[in-house]
């Protein structure tokens, strides 16, 4: 095994975990610190003789990293909210991507002498789609309203499909006719056809696989087998669509949204394991991806050797500014113009607050998909080295400039979800009350014939448990305290029971150490205590 393989398999994820652990400990932004760490490590490694250069493998990103990240985000999304917000999501994931690609492509074509128009549009398609991972992480930590988070997540789910298809069209045009030689009409018609084909076929494949996997997961009752199937779903969906030159991204997203919407039809064990599996996998893939972004700088700079650094820097500033400004313009226009032209009072009243528009407009951080697409360009592609550098600047620039200022902007605009959280807690309490009422009614029905009278203590325990869950939801509205600041019964129960569980664990561990029980017995009993404590944490 050579040094490069060891670097990929061990050192890279280990370093990413270490940096992420430090960032979480300090309360800093994990994606931003990982990118900065990658920049520093890459620059230092470039000066050490014998150190291998790590070039981003686009196939690994597009076929290994992208499908599970998209699938996990789709699982965690809400089909109902995405359906309600389909207009803003479509405007961002399709309209904004094409608008940004056109603006950046035309500006680059006008600036860079000798660069074909199709190659300039390829750059525009590469840097057009934002990656909402960093933005959503900040948004959730700072408590943005659910509607804004849904829009950002929905955009990130669907915009890669638009951008990658437009990118393929532009790359194909470089070696053919149309944009390069002047037949613009034919090329645009062909491009529109390819976009429709990729989206339509990807959607159909996604729907077919969603139905198939949904049927399978509903009938498989083993949590380990079900989650093993779940791990294969994103890769199967992606490759099935890509095999016929359709949108693998759209296929994965459709399957993920469908499975997530029907997850309640699986077993509780499947849901418990699935949450843990995808949370860990998401974390590991995301931190490795952000570290990889920073590591590309030395390799990209080497490709620019011999070019005028000031001229190249000027190109970079213009492209970066165009990427940022194009999003702001599109978000503002897409929000205001349709309602300004509408005569319906209801639509005017539904216009979102200006603070929400500004947050969406500034959440345009780019990610590793842009770099991966740039690295897929052939070595003889016109302006490849310059396109790689400009892509890197846009990705790093948006992550640092917008990423660092995004939390400040949210706080400055005072955008929060406090009212929404209170309403959620209130509706949850009402739902728990209704569910407890149904449970108690069912218990009364089962015990109405008097068969269980000899086990009245069991019935009393079940009744007390259902009533405690109902009361606990209402008590959480007060933060676990009563009107005079006293501890509520549910809070006291949870506190005392946790202390009892801790004492039980200590006895079990001591008995294991004294060889009075086996490790297998310890794990089995401890697992039961862990499940109970998890329930207490929710209650």
């Amino acid at each position: 095994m050579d040094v490069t393989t060891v670097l990929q398999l061990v050192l890279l994820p280990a370093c990413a975990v270490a940096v992420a652990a430090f960032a979480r400990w300090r309360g800093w932004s994990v994606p931003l610190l990982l990118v900065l760490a990658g920049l520093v490590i890459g620059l230092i490694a470039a000066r050490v003789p014998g150190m291998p250069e790590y070039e981003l493998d686009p196939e690994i990103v597009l076929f290994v990293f992208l499908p599970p990240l998209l699938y996990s985000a789709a699982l965690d999304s809400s089909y109902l909210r995405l359906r309600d917000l389909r207009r803003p999501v479509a405007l961002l994931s399709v309209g904004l991507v094409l608008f940004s690609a056109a603006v950046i492509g035309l500006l680059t074509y006008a600036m860079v002498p000798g660069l074909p128009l199709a190659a300039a549009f390829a750059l525009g398609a590469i840097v057009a789609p934002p990656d909402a991972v960093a933005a959503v992480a900040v948004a959730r930590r700072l408590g943005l309203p659910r509607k804004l988070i849904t829009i950002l997540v929905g955009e990130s789910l669907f915009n890669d499909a638009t951008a990658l298809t437009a990118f393929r069209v532009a790359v194909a045009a470089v070696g053919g006719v149309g944009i390069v030689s002047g037949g613009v009409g034919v090329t645009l018609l062909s491009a529109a056809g390819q976009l429709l084909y990729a989206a339509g076929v990807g959607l159909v494949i996604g729907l077919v696989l969603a139905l198939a996997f949904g049927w399978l997961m509903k009938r498989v009752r083993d949590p380990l087998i079900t989650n093993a199937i779940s791990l294969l779903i994103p890769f199967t969906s992606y490759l099935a669509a890509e095999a016929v030159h359709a949108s693998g991204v759209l296929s994965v997203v459709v399957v993920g949204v469908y499975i997530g919407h029907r997850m309640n039809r699986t077993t509780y064990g499947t849901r418990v394991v699935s949450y843990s599996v995808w949370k860990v996998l998401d974390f590991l893939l995301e931190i490795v991806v952000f570290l990889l972004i920073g590591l590309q700088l030395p390799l990209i700079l080497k490709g620019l050797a011999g070019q005028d650094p000031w001229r190249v820097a000027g190109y970079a500033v213009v492209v970066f500014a165009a990427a940022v400004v194009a999003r702001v313009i599109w978000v503002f226009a897409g929000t205001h113009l349709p309602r300004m032209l509408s005569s319906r009072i209801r639509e005017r009243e539904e216009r979102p607050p200006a603070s929400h528009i500004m947050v969406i407009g500034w959440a345009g951080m780019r990610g590793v998909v842009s770099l991966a697409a740039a690295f897929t360009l052939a070595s003889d592609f016109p302006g490849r080295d310059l396109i790689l550098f400009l892509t890197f600047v846009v990705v790093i620039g948006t992550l640092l400039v917008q990423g660092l200022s995004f939390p400040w902007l949210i706080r400055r605009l005072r955008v929060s979800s406090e009212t929404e959280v209170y309403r959620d807690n209130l509706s949850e309490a009402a739902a728990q009350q209704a569910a407890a009422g149904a449970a108690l009614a069912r218990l009364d029905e089962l015990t109405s014939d008097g068969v269980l009278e000899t086990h009245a203590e069991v019935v009393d325990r079940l009744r007390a448990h259902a009533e405690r869950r109902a009361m606990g939801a209402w008590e959480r509205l007060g933060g676990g305290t009563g009107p005079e600041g006293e501890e509520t019964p549910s809070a006291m129960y949870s506190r005392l029971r946790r202390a009892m569980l801790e004492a039980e664990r200590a006895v079990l561990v001591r008995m294991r150490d004294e060889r009075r029980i086996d490790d297998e017995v310890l794990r089995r009993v401890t697992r039961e205590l862990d499940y109970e404590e998890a329930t207490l944490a929710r209650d």
Side-chain angles (χ1 to χ4, degrees):
M1 186 177 293
D2 58 23
V3 176
T4 303
T5 305
V6 173
L7 180 66
Q8 295 177 10
L9 296 180
V10 180
L11 293 182
L12 190 66
C15 181
V17 170
V19 175
F22 179 78
R24 288 169 65 89
W25 173 60
R26 298 292 300 177
W28 297 343
S29 172
V30 174
L32 296 183
L33 192 62
L34 284 165
V35 170
L36 292 174
L39 287 171
V40 174
I41 294 172
L43 292 174
I44 293 176
R47 299 178 179 274
V48 177
M51 283 294 293
E53 293 179 338
Y54 188 86
E55 181 175 354
L56 186 68
D57 188 340
E59 300 298 324
I60 290 179
V61 173
L62 296 178
F63 289 92
V64 177
F65 283 81
L66 184 59
L69 287 174
L70 284 172
Y71 180 75
S72 177
L75 275 180
D76 197 37
S77 64
S78 168
Y79 162 73
L80 297 177
R81 290 204 303 269
L82 286 174
R83 187 183 65 182
D84 292 340
L85 297 170
R86 57 187 179 275
R87 179 183 175 276
V89 169
L91 283 173
L92 292 174
S93 58
V94 179
L96 175 58
V97 169
L98 297 178
F99 177 71
S100 298
V103 170
I104 295 170
L106 291 174
L107 280 175
T108 306
Y109 176 70
M111 283 191 308
V112 182
L115 186 69
L117 181 58
F121 274 111
L123 170 64
I126 287 171
V127 299
D131 180 5
V133 172
V136 171
V138 173
R140 285 177 172 159
R141 189 175 71 247
L142 296 180
L144 275 187
R146 187 185 299 115
K147 181 177 180 179
L148 294 185
I149 295 178
T150 300
I151 292 174
L152 292 176
V153 171
E155 177 191 10
S156 68
L157 287 176
F158 295 101
N159 61 7
D160 288 334
T162 306
L164 291 176
T165 305
F167 168 70
R168 290 170 184 167
V169 172
V171 170
V174 171
V177 296
I179 293 177
V180 178
S181 60
V184 177
V186 175
T187 301
L188 292 179
L189 207 58
S190 173
Q194 290 189 44
L195 284 171
L196 291 175
Y197 171 83
V201 176
L203 179 64
V204 171
I205 292 176
L207 288 173
V208 172
L209 292 177
L211 293 173
F213 284 122
W215 178 87
L216 183 62
M217 293 181 68
K218 182 180 178 181
R219 282 156 179 79
V220 176
R221 313 303 292 177
D222 189 324
L224 291 180
I225 299 299
T226 306
N227 279 280
I229 295 173
S230 180
L231 288 173
L232 298 176
I233 288 176
F235 303 105
T236 304
S237 306
Y238 191 87
L239 292 174
E242 290 293 323
V244 294
H245 306 291
S247 173
V249 170
L250 192 57
S251 176
V252 171
V253 170
V254 169
V255 176
V257 171
Y258 180 85
I259 297 296
H261 185 63
R262 297 169 64 90
M263 186 62 76
N264 63 309
R265 303 193 179 192
T266 60
T267 63
Y268 80 94
T270 296
R271 293 190 294 272
V272 170
V273 175
S274 175
Y275 176 78
S276 301
V277 165
W278 285 106
K279 195 171 185 66
V280 173
L281 186 61
D282 260 359
F283 176 74
L284 186 60
L285 292 178
E286 287 173 1
I287 62 176
V288 171
V289 158
F290 282 111
L291 188 66
L292 282 174
I293 292 175
L295 287 172
Q296 304 312 302
L297 180 58
L299 192 65
I300 292 174
L301 290 178
K302 183 181 293 187
L304 291 176
Q307 297 196 34
D308 183 359
W310 291 107
R311 182 185 296 271
V312 172
Y315 295 157
V317 171
V318 172
V319 172
F320 167 74
V324 174
V325 174
R327 180 181 180 88
V328 175
I329 292 175
W330 182 266
V331 171
F332 178 85
T335 305
H336 286 76
L337 288 181
R339 290 173 173 81
M340 291 169 61
L341 298 175
S342 174
S343 60
R344 288 190 291 178
I345 302 299
R346 187 179 62 83
E347 289 194 4
R348 292 180 180 178
E349 293 175 348
E350 290 178 355
R351 188 176 65 188
S355 58
H356 290 194
I357 299 172
M358 293 178 67
V359 168
I360 294 294
W362 197 245
M365 286 81 90
R366 270 60 174 178
V368 72
V369 173
S370 295
L371 273 179
F375 273 103
T376 63
L377 295 174
S379 58
D380 59 347
F381 190 86
R384 180 182 188 271
D385 293 330
L386 179 61
I387 290 175
L388 274 173
F389 177 73
L390 295 178
T391 302
F392 183 83
V393 170
V394 172
V395 172
I396 296 296
T398 53
L399 283 173
L400 296 181
V401 175
Q402 292 179 295
L404 289 174
S405 59
F406 196 54
W408 173 86
L409 179 66
I410 294 174
R411 296 190 187 97
R412 183 71 177 177
L413 296 175
R414 298 180 179 179
V415 180
S416 71
S417 59
E418 291 181 3
T419 303
E420 190 175 73
V421 169
Y422 177 79
R423 290 175 180 171
D424 285 348
N425 291 336
L426 189 62
S427 60
E428 179 190 352
Q432 289 277 25
Q433 185 74 45
L440 291 172
R442 179 59 175 160
L443 181 62
D444 291 338
E445 179 184 339
L446 293 172
T447 58
S448 60
D449 55 6
V451 175
L452 301 178
E453 286 183 358
T454 56
H455 299 286
E457 71 281 358
V458 175
V459 177
D460 291 339
R461 285 173 57 191
L462 291 171
R463 189 179 301 278
H465 180 71
E467 292 174 348
R468 183 175 60 82
R469 283 180 59 83
M471 291 305 300
W474 291 108
E475 291 172 0
R476 275 196 298 273
L477 288 171
T481 58
E484 305 298 330
E486 73 277 11
E487 191 175 28
T488 60
S490 292
M492 180 181 296
Y493 177 91
S494 297
R495 177 176 59 83
L496 296 178
R497 185 54 187 152
R498 285 194 188 95
M500 294 168 65
L501 292 173
E502 194 62 35
E504 291 182 50
R505 289 194 186 94
V507 170
L508 293 170
V509 172
R510 185 172 69 249
M511 293 179 68
R512 189 277 312 271
D513 294 341
E514 295 172 353
R515 308 299 294 272
R516 294 163 61 187
I517 62 173
D518 188 70
D519 273 307
E520 182 63 29
V521 176
L522 174 65
R523 281 192 290 267
R524 188 165 61 245
V525 179
T526 301
R527 191 178 302 120
E528 294 177 1
L529 300 181
D530 291 343
Y531 283 144
E532 183 177 353
E533 185 166 2
T535 304
L536 289 173
R538 187 64 192 94
D539 285 346

